[in-house]
Amino acid sequence: MTTTRETRPYDVADLSSLGFWESTASEREKTFADLRAHRPITWHSPAEGRLMDDPNDQGFWAVVRHADLVEVTRRHDDFISGEGIVFDSVPPELLDAAQGFIAMDPPRHTQVRRLLVSAFTPKQMKRIEDNVVANARRIVDEIAAKGQVDFVREVAMLVPMHNIFDMMGVPEEHRLALAKTSETIGSYRDLPGNDPTEVVRVLTESLIGFQVIASELVNQRRTNPTDDLITSLVQAEVDGEKLSDADIMSFFSLLMVAGNDTTRQSTAHGLQALTDFPEQRAWLMEDIDGRMTSAVEEIVRWATPIMTFRRTAARDCELGGQQITAGDKVILFYASANWDTEVFEHPGRLDLARTPNKHISFGGGGIHHCLGNQLARRQLAATFKELLTRLPDIRSTGEQVYGAGNFFHTVASMPATFTPEAVR
Amino acid sequence: MKITHDAQRCCSSGMCESFAPDIFEISDDDGALQVLDATPDESRRGAVELAIASCPTEALSLE
């Protein structure tokens, strides 16, 4: 029997309320575990919005199992991205500004992605390896004498900020302002106050600030091209045509948000995990160079920095025995897939030696697979190597504050302490 | 051993290059994958199979 969107009953599990996302990852996992075991593809009431409620939004399918998430990711003709990639209903002008080519489908997605791909190849990553290590060193230099820091503000935020902005060509004086903008866009659910008008005002102000700086940089590169990503964007041609200004701003913003707000979360969750599992940390320290590769994979699984992405059914089709109707929203729950016991033994245990580690934190394999995955891995390895060798007792104090959003798995702040490095 | 590359499916993730940089290369110019050696020596089979298995879009295959 086929039901329509209007009459299809909602599952009893709550994935939609603000409260669900304000709880902790381990609380949410109880709901996901139940769904994975008993009802893997379920229909739910629309996400409770912070900004707007869309009267045309009738709900979404929840995909919680690893195998199903991988399947949806690979069926990009059935489950498209061009209708939007975030869970919430968001005002369209905001969406256009932030989604970039991640919310495109082939053939245009392929064309546009190729414009940027050469900056993220393995060859290119090797070329910038020394710079990634130097950035990690510079950040640890700054905190080494302090003994206590807000790990998010003074480490986790700065690592990806310097690396992605080095690649993009954003000069030092604009970096903190843009990283802050990026955070506001990516984590608007964490903004104080409950008044949607106020939240939209703060967001709009942030976006305008971003556009002023970004368009200045874009104009500079038109006059004085260099070898950075902003120059690649202004010089790029698709089908013989230059990108529009709106496209350039949108791709600038995507690189900025995807570059800053992902590895930031993985770095912070990584320190928390190393604090919570001292025996794992000790194991890593016995051979930090030899064991870092598998450790980074497990940290990325553990963090799951992006918790949800949305697809939309392009046509009527079947998924996991459920009849999906063209136009239905389909939400992929990455943290749930990363805890799937069909794939991971004891997913609730941090296991830095886990091999193979088939986490889907960079995507389930498909055309939208994280462009920056190799950059992220190199940054995490360089940062934890520098931190753990120079500040071997650095730990979270346990007073960390998590965000309430349903997109990035944010850590808003994380006090950390350590024995200061001897003055050299 | 002959490698087939489906340029339509390829998203230039670079995963293949990370396993076998002597065989696969993402072009610096246009971001397209170039198969540098479509008929590599049998001794490279292990790396080639890893590269093919790692492809997120299943754009590579062996004949």
Side-chain angles (χ1 to χ4, degrees):
Chain A
M1 191 190 75
T2 308
T3 54
T4 64
R5 267 201 294 284
E6 289 76 13
T7 59
R8 197 183 283 142
Y10 295 133
D11 192 87
V12 291
D14 168 30
L15 303 176
S16 311
S17 71
L18 290 176
F20 179 74
W21 295 99
E22 283 161 1
S23 73
T24 61
S26 52
E27 279 298 312
R28 289 191 289 271
E29 167 53 18
K30 291 177 191 165
T31 304
F32 290 135
D34 175 48
L35 287 174
R36 283 195 308 269
H38 305 293
R39 307 185 308 284
I41 310 279
T42 43
W43 179 251
H44 296 264
S45 58
E48 191 182 336
R50 183 81 207 270
L51 294 181
M52 58 181 281
D53 285 314
D54 177 355
N56 297 316
D57 187 0
Q58 278 135 353
F60 64 90
W61 292 103
V63 176
V64 292
R65 280 185 182 170
H66 188 282
D68 293 329
L69 186 146
V70 168
E71 182 178 336
V72 171
T73 307
R74 296 192 175 194
R75 283 169 62 185
H76 63 257
D77 293 328
D78 286 339
F79 301 106
I80 59 174
S81 296
E83 302 285 322
I85 47 111
V86 295
F87 191 176
D88 281 6
S89 292
V90 174
E93 57 275 24
L94 230 160
L95 218 52
D96 290 348
Q99 292 196 135
F101 65 89
I102 202 170
M104 284 178 182
D105 295 302
R108 188 156 167 82
H109 169 265
T110 317
Q111 295 171 321
V112 172
R113 185 177 160 120
R114 279 196 187 143
L115 299 175
L116 298 172
V117 98
S118 53
F120 294 90
T121 59
K123 193 166 44 221
Q124 189 58 23
M125 289 299 113
K126 265 188 215 116
R127 285 189 202 125
I128 65 167
E129 172 75 20
D130 289 350
N131 190 56
V132 170
V133 170
N135 280 333
R137 185 159 304 147
R138 156 190 182 179
I139 288 157
V140 176
D141 282 346
E142 283 293 319
I143 65 161
K146 291 187 176 177
Q148 58 181 51
V149 290
D150 177 350
F151 188 74
V152 172
R153 298 289 134 195
E154 297 180 63
V155 179
M157 174 178 174
L158 303 183
V159 167
M161 179 187 88
H162 285 305
N163 287 317
I164 192 69
F165 287 155
D166 278 345
M167 292 175 70
M168 290 174 71
V170 173
E172 290 278 341
E173 69 264 28
H174 293 311
R175 290 186 176 184
L176 277 171
L178 285 185
K180 185 76 198 141
T181 301
S182 182
E183 180 180 33
T184 305
I185 297 171
S187 314
Y188 66 85
R189 279 204 183 199
D190 299 337
L191 292 172
N194 284 314
D195 176 7
T197 327
E198 176 60 13
V199 173
V200 170
R201 193 192 61 77
V202 173
L203 268 173
T204 310
E205 211 172 80
S206 243
L207 272 176
I208 293 171
F210 154 71
Q211 277 160 349
V212 169
I213 297 173
S215 51
E216 181 194 319
L217 295 173
V218 165
N219 288 333
Q220 282 173 4
R221 290 312 186 285
R222 285 202 168 110
T223 333
N224 296 309
T226 58
D227 60 354
D228 56 30
L229 277 168
I230 301 176
T231 305
S232 301
L233 285 176
V234 303
Q235 293 183 337
E237 288 185 10
V238 174
D239 291 336
E241 282 185 36
K242 288 257 199 284
L243 297 176
S244 68
D245 284 0
D247 275 351
I248 291 176
M249 294 303 267
S250 175
F251 302 151
F252 188 120
S253 159
L254 172 64
L255 287 167
M256 174 180 83
V257 175
N260 274 286
D261 290 90
T262 48
T263 301
R264 176 194 309 189
Q265 318 308 343
S266 298
T267 307
H269 288 293
L271 181 66
Q272 188 62 45
L274 293 169
T275 304
D276 291 341
F277 294 86
E279 77 295 346
Q280 286 292 308
R281 178 185 188 136
W283 177 85
L284 173 62
M285 295 309 288
E286 282 167 24
D287 177 12
I288 191 164
D289 290 321
R291 294 175 176 178
M292 188 58 91
T293 304
S294 69
V296 164
E297 295 307 308
E298 180 69 347
I299 286 171
V300 174
R301 180 188 75 87
W302 193 259
T304 316
I306 295 179
M307 299 186 289
T308 60
F309 266 125
R310 170 189 159 192
R311 299 288 191 271
T312 305
R315 52 178 94 121
D316 293 354
C317 60
E318 202 190 288
L319 176 66
Q322 293 281 22
Q323 191 58 45
I324 312 290
T325 310
D328 285 354
K329 274 189 189 181
V330 177
I331 309 291
L332 309 174
F333 290 87
Y334 291 81
S336 177
N338 270 339
W339 254 247
D340 190 337
T341 48
E342 292 288 315
V343 179
F344 303 100
E345 210 171 309
H346 303 299
R349 283 187 209 157
L350 185 80
D351 177 4
L352 297 179
R354 194 181 289 281
T355 313
N357 192 334
K358 294 183 173 297
H359 70 78
I360 41 66
S361 294
F362 294 121
I367 59 170
H368 297 282
H369 200 73
C370 176
L371 182 62
N373 71 83
Q374 314 215 26
L375 174 65
R377 289 170 159 128
R378 277 173 194 264
Q379 296 189 76
L380 288 165
T383 305
F384 282 109
K385 167 83 190 288
E386 193 72 13
L387 278 170
L388 296 174
T389 49
R390 289 178 57 188
L391 312 172
D393 64 352
I394 187 167
R395 61 194 311 278
S396 161
T397 63
E399 298 157 281
Q400 71 278 12
V401 177
Y402 296 108
N406 58 22
F407 186 62
F408 288 121
H409 188 198
T410 53
V411 187
S413 63
M414 177 176 284
T417 57
F418 52 89
T419 306
E421 195 177 54
V423 178
R424 290 186 290 187
Chain B
M1 177 163 69
K2 182 169 187 304
I3 299 166
T4 311
H5 170 232
D6 182 343
Q8 293 300 314
R9 299 181 72 96
C10 178
C11 74
S12 300
S13 75
M15 297 300 288
C16 52
E17 185 179 331
S18 66
F19 287 105
D22 54 326
I23 297 170
F24 305 99
E25 185 177 52
I26 305 292
S27 158
D28 273 345
D29 298 328
D30 62 0
L33 174 67
Q34 295 170 333
V35 182
L36 303 174
D37 182 1
T39 54
D41 189 80
E42 195 58 31
S43 66
R44 300 291 293 139
R45 181 174 283 275
V48 168
E49 285 180 348
L50 269 176
I52 290 175
S54 75
C55 176
T57 57
E58 296 167 359
L60 294 168
S61 51
L62 265 189
E63 275 175 27

